[in-house]
Amino acid sequence: MKKQIKDFDLKGKKVIIRCDFNVPMEDGKITDNTRIKSSLKTIRYAVNHGGKVILLSHLGRIKEDKDKEKYSLKLVSDELSKLLKKKVKFINKTKGKEVENAVKQMKEKEIILLENTRFEDLDGKKESKNDKELGKYWANLGDIFINDAFGTIHRNHASNVGIASNLPSGLGMLVNKEIKVLNKLLKNPKKPYVIVLGGAKVSDKLDLIKNLVKKADYILIGGGMAFTFLKAAGFSIGSSLLEKDKLSECQKLLDEYPEKIILPIDIITSDKISNDAKTHLRFINEIEEDEMGLDIGVGTIKVFKQYLEDSKTIFWNGPMGCFEYKPFEEGTKSLCEIIANTDAYKVIGGGDTISAVTKFGFEDKMDHLSTGGGASLTYLEGKKLEALDIIDEKE
Ligand code: ADP
Ligand code: MG
């Protein structure tokens, strides 16, 4: 078992917490603060136990100097402060004298947030390539390292693996909970166990299907990824999303698990993705050449409902259609409702899927929303999580 924040005496200690504040932003505003909210428990715990709390996080990708303005953590610091009802001191640097002085002057229960760790990527990708010196530098700012950034736990970065290699380390409450939930899905899930997959890219989900298909009773497939499967099954898919190089893998899965993999029987199509798009309901053998499939149809929703109704465990990742647009939201919205109304243990994974569940108002009906898209998928694919492996084991 990995050490947790609760296994440390934090009083008077400088506690570095790696958070996941990688929130979506638009026009200088945070559009979804779920990730900030999920970090509060661990931060509060560290503060209440007398820690001097130093927060680190990445935000977006930093490729050139002008990305810095868009991806500063300043807004996150304001939002965090508001949610915590407590001052969060923001230092707009990732290292240097200003950072070191601020840390030196800290008193118990104070919180500082440093600037976006990926600002260090401008200098030879030091953060993302886990530059040894950078990890050591950040580690030297603190006494204890807590990793609570589930979204990057599958990555080998300076701000997670790098720091953990140089300090006593443990897991924050969010990461600990996430791992517990995912272990439930991987080891002895209550049956029937139904997995719902959607989203744009089938290539993102094939390894997941391969690892979970043996554990699950059914895998229901919607969204853009369904079309490579439908094409592999012999249907014409018009100009819907297709990953040609994945056709044979999809074909093989369909051959091997014909009773487990359930595909749509009807589709909402259109010639454009917009709020004023004209739509058609088509059976999957009726899709026309110039049409794109952009949502699942009513028949599919009914079929999926039958599988979901009696299930005892549900894992859902990937919207059923382009739910961001009104004409293509019905499939995703209906699935939210159907899943919410089952008495199964319900886990939702993936940034866009969580946005959808939240948008349609069903977030409180689910048992767990897993904040780390790629991280949860990597774990569910049966692969190791680098920044989890490096954390100290309980003695
Ligand atoms: P998550 O972030 O939950 O893991 P993904 O990133 O895999 O989900 O997929 C989300 C995206 O998939 C959404 O932006 C949605 O618009 C898109 N999508 C869903 N269905 C389709 C479709 N039929 N064609 C094109 N894009 C789709
Ligand atoms: Mg996504």
Side-chain angles (χ1 to χ4, degrees):
M1 265 259 279
K2 294 291 179 189
K3 265 196 164 167
Q4 294 170 39
I5 189 168
K6 293 185 175 172
D7 298 320
F8 290 92
D9 177 11
L10 304 180
K11 190 156 172 56
K13 301 275 169 53
K14 286 172 283 179
V15 187
I16 301 174
I17 307 179
R18 173 58 162 99
C19 297
D20 179 3
F21 295 142
N22 189 28
V23 288
M25 301 222 260
E26 224 168 85
D27 304 328
K29 280 206 184 95
I30 296 167
T31 53
D32 180 359
N33 66 359
T34 307
R35 285 186 171 176
I36 304 180
K37 277 195 197 148
S38 339
S39 73
L40 298 179
K41 225 173 158 185
T42 299
I43 297 172
R44 283 203 186 108
Y45 182 92
V47 168
N48 293 341
H49 288 77
K52 302 171 180 175
V53 180
I54 304 161
L55 305 177
L56 286 176
S57 175
H58 76 288
L59 175 60
R61 289 218 170 92
I62 308 292
K63 288 180 186 145
E64 45 188 2
D65 222 52
K66 71 175 207 291
D67 295 334
K68 281 181 153 183
E69 200 183 320
K70 195 166 148 201
Y71 291 122
S72 167
L73 283 174
K74 173 74 178 74
L75 285 179
V76 167
S77 126
D78 296 342
E79 178 72 11
L80 181 62
S81 195
K82 211 161 75 189
L83 292 168
L84 282 168
K85 300 190 184 71
K86 185 174 165 57
K87 185 176 176 206
V88 175
K89 186 171 178 185
F90 178 64
I91 316 283
N92 68 347
K93 297 277 175 351
T94 47
K95 59 185 187 197
K97 271 273 154 306
E98 216 178 303
V99 170
E100 292 152 32
N101 286 337
V103 168
K104 231 178 267 164
Q105 287 159 15
M106 285 183 89
K107 301 193 180 71
E108 282 180 18
K109 303 192 174 206
E110 281 185 358
I111 306 172
I112 65 174
L113 168 65
L114 303 190
E115 187 51 284
N116 185 352
T117 54
R118 288 202 182 150
F119 280 22
E120 290 296 326
D121 276 351
L122 283 179
D123 185 13
K125 291 224 154 220
K126 286 202 164 112
E127 154 73 331
S128 295
K129 287 194 171 159
N130 187 11
D131 175 80
K132 292 280 163 306
E133 292 310 311
L134 182 59
K136 212 183 273 174
Y137 175 86
W138 279 330
N140 276 334
L141 297 173
D143 304 308
I144 294 164
F145 176 63
I146 297 298
N147 192 348
D148 209 24
F150 186 67
T152 47
I153 200 131
H154 56 319
R155 305 282 188 209
N156 178 8
H157 290 171
S159 65
N160 53 26
V161 176
I163 303 177
S165 321
N166 289 288
L167 275 185
S169 61
L171 299 179
M173 291 161 177
L174 172 61
V175 168
N176 195 49
K177 170 144 195 242
E178 294 272 8
I179 297 293
K180 255 196 186 152
V181 170
L182 295 178
N183 279 341
K184 253 192 208 180
L185 299 180
L186 285 168
K187 300 162 193 166
N188 305 320
K190 265 198 176 170
K191 299 214 152 207
Y193 177 17
V194 180
I195 294 172
V196 183
L197 294 179
K201 289 171 81 181
V202 71
S203 48
D204 287 348
K205 317 273 158 101
L206 280 171
D207 285 346
L208 181 76
I209 297 176
K210 285 180 209 160
N211 193 45
L212 290 182
V213 71
K214 291 176 213 103
K215 306 176 208 288
D217 295 289
Y218 299 103
I219 300 187
L220 317 180
I221 297 181
M225 67 175 285
F227 293 96
T228 304
F229 276 99
L230 287 169
K231 176 96 180 163
F235 294 100
S236 301
I237 57 166
S239 43
S240 309
L241 276 186
L242 171 66
E243 287 178 74
K244 268 197 188 134
D245 57 329
K246 299 297 169 199
L247 275 171
S248 64
E249 263 176 274
C250 291
Q251 173 84 65
K252 210 172 140 217
L253 281 165
L254 289 174
D255 288 345
E256 220 168 317
Y257 303 99
E259 274 116 46
K260 279 197 180 186
I261 297 178
I262 313 297
L263 298 177
I265 56 165
D266 59 359
I267 292 294
I268 300 291
T269 66
S270 183
D271 58 354
K272 63 174 183 180
I273 307 176
S274 70
N275 275 317
D276 61 354
K278 240 185 95 186
T279 61
H280 307 275
L281 174 64
R282 305 274 191 227
F283 286 115
I284 40 151
N285 56 359
E286 286 176 357
I287 302 175
E288 290 177 15
E289 205 52 46
D290 55 349
E291 291 179 342
M292 285 178 279
L294 297 169
D295 195 8
I296 53 173
V298 285
T300 306
I301 295 171
K302 267 194 197 139
V303 172
F304 284 7
K305 186 177 179 190
Q306 285 171 357
Y307 287 100
L308 289 162
E309 261 170 356
D310 303 322
S311 61
K312 288 279 167 275
T313 307
I314 298 172
F315 172 62
W316 179 19
N317 168 257
M320 294 292 98
C322 295
F323 73 95
E324 298 91 339
Y325 301 87
K326 193 109 188 120
F328 314 113
E329 68 173 26
E330 199 48 48
T332 306
K333 205 172 162 181
S334 300
L335 263 266
C336 284
E337 199 175 344
I338 292 165
I339 293 175
N341 284 330
T342 66
D343 54 13
Y345 179 70
K346 315 178 246 292
V347 182
I348 313 296
D352 292 296
T353 316
I354 292 174
S355 295
V357 169
T358 311
K359 177 179 175 177
F360 299 127
F362 289 94
E363 72 270 37
D364 296 336
K365 297 266 169 61
M366 307 301 177
D367 291 284
H368 184 72
L369 306 183
S370 183
T371 54
S376 351
L377 294 192
T378 303
Y379 200 56
L380 293 174
E381 283 163 7
K383 295 173 189 155
K384 86 169 193 182
L385 304 174
E386 300 217 43
L388 176 70
D389 274 21
I390 189 88
I391 296 295
D392 295 342
E393 293 287 337
K394 256 187 213 184
E395 275 114 47

